[in-house]
Amino acid sequence: MRRVDGADSSVGTAPHGSTCDRVVADLEAHLGDPHDDATVFSYARCAELDQTSSFPEAPYRQLDAWGLARYYVPGVFGGALDDYTVPTLLLAAVARRDLSVAVAHGKSFLGSVCAWVSPSRRSTDLAKLVLDGHPAAWGLTEPGHGSDLLAGELRADAVPGGYRLTGRKWPINNATRGRMITLLARTEPTGGARGFDVFVVDKQDLDATAFQPLPKVSTHGIRGVDISGIAFDRAFVSEHTRLGDRGSGLETVLKSLQLTR
């Protein structure tokens, strides 16, 4: 097995059970009794939010205050992630209270994992923002293509100093709320296994006229979660937003999916 910092490790490197139990218990204590309707993260309150399709802002911020995002970022980038057992158990504890909150908050790990698999200068930028509580999104799926990654049409056309993004990603979690979006984009007109690259895009760096949100998707469950999309119209991103060598995007995504699944 390969650790998140890229070093080889054996399968049996999970932290001692008591360590996991202590971390999870600390989170549970911070969140309070879910049976107490007066607590922010109670079962009753979460049910109300789901019924009204409201984003679970207050429970989400409780997780931020405790520092759950530390366990999405590897230690080499300043976080606390050195084994996947801990964040798995933490998110399971959150999901027992409300799946919507677990999906919404945990998406920031999915939105950043490519940067850990293919580390670059951009990885450090992303790590800081995730640790500071900024949501991240992972832009893979597209209208009409679903998860057929080789059919992706969002283009990153090379221009002096960087690329121009044109196309749509939809539906993806955190597309509207997320400040950072990790995108798989076609960099060769013919596509193919070496015709895609991954870019870590900070929406605050984009011209406001070069992108727009796409509508939220209505779902039967997790109704308050930001499952929406984003459209780009020749949005300029600098060269350093690309992860890895040119044409390595599909490889990076496939490696990342082995962790996120």
Side-chain angles (χ1 to χ4, degrees), residues 56-133:
E57 189 70 44
Y60 189 102
R61 292 305 168 200
Q62 266 204 304
L63 298 179
D64 279 348
W66 184 78
L68 181 56
R70 292 174 295 161
Y71 295 95
Y72 303 156
V73 178
V76 68
F77 295 114
L81 174 60
D82 57 13
D83 189 282
Y84 288 96
T85 306
V86 175
T88 298
L89 293 177
L90 288 171
L91 284 172
V94 175
R96 283 195 294 270
R97 293 170 179 254
D98 182 29
L99 182 59
S100 292
V101 185
V103 170
H105 205 282
K107 188 64 182 186
S108 286
F109 171 71
L110 275 69
S112 55
V113 66
C114 285
W116 318 147
V117 168
S118 184
S120 72
R121 164 185 168 188
R122 196 60 165 169
S123 304
T124 302
D125 300 335
L126 179 56
K128 184 178 186 307
L129 288 171
V130 171
L131 291 171
D132 284 346

Side-chain angles (χ1 to χ4, degrees), residues 118 163 187 194 196-198 242-249 251-252:
S118 184
Y163 299 82
T187 46
R194 292 296 176 184
F196 292 83
D197 282 278
V198 172
R242 194 191 76 218
L243 296 178
D245 296 331
R246 180 72 180 264
S248 65
E251 176 185 346
T252 295

Side-chain angles (χ1 to χ4, degrees), residues 53 170 176 214-219 222-229:
S53 298
W170 181 95
T176 300
L214 297 176
K216 182 183 182 302
V217 179
S218 296
T219 54
I222 58 172
R223 287 181 282 189
V225 177
D226 171 27
I227 300 176
S228 55

